Amino acid sequence: MGKTRRMLSVGLGGMALVTALAVPAQASQPERDHGPGHGSVAWEVKDSGSDARFRGLAAVSRSTAWVAGTKGTVLRTSDGGRTWKNVSPPGAGALEFRDVEAFDGRRAVVLAIGEGEASRVYRTEDGGASWSESFRNTDPKAFYDCLAFFDPRHGLAVSDPVDGKYRVLSTADGGRSWRVLPNEGMPAAKTGEAGFAASGQCLVASGPRDVWLATGGGATGRVLHSSDRGLTWTAAESTIPAGDPARGVFGLAFRDRTHGLAVGGDYRADQPSHRAAAVTGDGGRTWRPSATPVAAYRSGVAWLPHTRSAALAVGPAGTDLTRDGGRTWRTVDTGSYDTVDCAADGGCWAAGERGRVARLGR
């Protein structure tokens, strides 16, 4: 994308559960959306004991989650957020962690972003007691943004375009080793196009082979799709406006290999984010704009577990909820979060600036 875009990137970076959202720490009278026959839930803010900005988040369960952020910080909780253990890799204080993928409470992979050797991957098998550096970028033109895993062994990491095409790393041993995939099957990047390292959701996988890449900065916000673990890709326009280094698609979520959500906008607080949400029902081949989009720039999005139509989108200006598969969204909270993730047992977590971490209550 060029130095200007890269510096911007460094600066970023069941339905019964859905009835209400609020963050008590943000308002004395939390907004609640009451619906017939449903209980209520709320963001429960947890004290992480850190002032790092967490853009990397992995929800393992309602009890276990990992967050990764500025100043080389990685935290882990195993008691629902009551306490957090600082498990940061030694000597990583100058790094910017923007993504973490965790397989359980002991195994996790984290990505540090930046130009050249600032882009690195670390892996732990003992809950963060020790880490191994499994990848360090040596190409000054590469800038890695996001990680995604298909299963505990197979995963990818993606860099902004190098010589006109996105660069993809692949692992088949759980992140112990990585190789650059050939780029013959990668479409050419558009002028000014890149990924956003804003929430760890510019690259997402669903099932054993499907993966999607979100882009911005070019003339249009695009979503690239691969059905063979990153060997070949197709590209589709998303309907989310781009045309500026600060605008485009920031976060993706797929509940299966066909149904997906895209959110984004313009991350500058003084700029509006029109048409900043889109949906697909054909695996990303085509996208349609949300009839009622998210209210402002949103960097993270996640389907709520065990539903076919409910999802959350988060950003610095608040949280939005959809109950109809992304067709319409409404703001349910104004607290600041950068990323959101949900586990199979219904445990949903969000994280953001100033050490802010929350779990969705019942």
Side-chain angles (χ1 to χ4, degrees):
M1 174 65 78
K3 186 172 182 61
T4 300
R5 168 62 182 81
R6 290 175 186 274
M7 293 307 294
L8 286 168
S9 182
V10 170
L12 287 174
M15 184 61 74
L17 293 175
V18 184
T19 310
L21 280 169
V23 180
Q26 291 293 311
S28 57
Q29 297 294 326
E31 180 184 5
R32 294 189 179 274
D33 174 17
H34 297 284
H38 298 310
S40 65
V41 294
W43 281 129
E44 299 171 346
V45 179
K46 309 297 182 179
D47 182 6
S48 71
S50 173
D51 62 357
R53 186 163 197 169
F54 295 122
R55 295 183 184 274
L57 168 65
V60 176
S61 66
R62 281 188 56 81
S63 61
T64 302
W66 300 68
V67 291
T70 55
K71 297 179 288 189
T73 306
V74 180
L75 306 183
R76 176 179 56 84
T77 183
S78 57
D79 58 11
R82 288 190 295 275
T83 61
W84 294 84
K85 185 173 183 179
N86 188 333
V87 295
S88 306
L95 299 179
E96 288 267 344
F97 289 131
R98 295 295 181 90
D99 201 354
V100 55
E101 301 290 325
F103 312 115
D104 50 41
R106 297 184 61 79
R107 297 174 297 160
V109 178
V110 295
L111 172 71
I113 69 158
E115 295 177 331
E117 292 192 0
S119 284
R120 306 179 193 181
V121 178
Y122 292 81
R123 184 180 188 277
T124 182
E125 296 181 347
D126 54 15
S130 63
W131 294 85
S132 59
E133 181 184 309
S134 58
F135 173 77
R136 182 180 297 203
N137 174 48
T138 57
D139 189 334
K141 296 179 290 186
F143 185 114
Y144 286 85
D145 296 304
C146 290
L147 289 167
F149 274 79
F150 305 94
D151 56 50
R153 292 186 58 81
H154 300 90
L156 302 177
V158 66
S159 162
D160 286 343
V162 176
D163 299 328
K165 291 186 176 182
Y166 290 94
R167 175 169 290 180
V168 179
L169 286 178
S170 175
T171 180
D173 55 14
R176 294 181 182 88
S177 63
W178 298 83
R179 67 183 182 96
V180 177
L181 292 181
N183 67 2
E184 287 80 5
M186 174 66 72
K190 299 293 186 181
T191 301
E193 189 181 47
F196 290 105
S199 62
Q201 294 179 334
C202 68
L203 186 73
V204 300
S206 180
R209 304 187 69 83
D210 287 274
V211 61
W212 295 263
L213 167 63
T215 79
T220 60
R222 299 197 300 169
V223 178
L224 280 62
H225 171 238
S226 170
S227 59
D228 55 12
R229 291 183 180 165
L231 292 176
T232 60
W233 299 77
T234 57
E237 296 187 3
S238 70
T239 76
I240 294 178
D244 183 277
R247 291 200 299 265
V249 185
F250 282 72
L252 298 170
F254 277 77
R255 65 173 172 83
D256 53 40
R257 65 188 310 266
T258 58
H259 298 89
L261 304 170
V263 298
D266 191 318
Y267 71 72
R268 296 169 295 193
D270 61 343
Q271 297 295 315
S273 292
H274 302 301
R275 306 194 310 279
V279 299
T280 181
D282 58 12
R285 288 191 295 273
T286 61
W287 293 83
R288 61 187 184 276
S290 297
T292 304
V294 293
Y297 158 69
R298 298 292 185 251
S299 51
V301 60
W303 292 94
L304 291 182
H306 313 302
T307 77
R308 297 180 59 83
S309 58
L312 298 170
V314 301
T319 299
D320 290 333
L321 168 70
T322 181
R323 290 194 182 91
D324 53 19
R327 188 179 68 84
T328 62
W329 296 84
R330 73 179 293 263
T331 302
V332 292
D333 175 68
T334 57
S336 175
Y337 297 100
D338 292 311
T339 186
V340 61
D341 191 30
C342 294
D345 71 348
C348 292
W349 297 78
E353 61 184 341
R354 297 191 299 275
R356 188 174 175 82
V357 185
R359 188 185 68 179
L360 200 63
R362 298 188 185 277

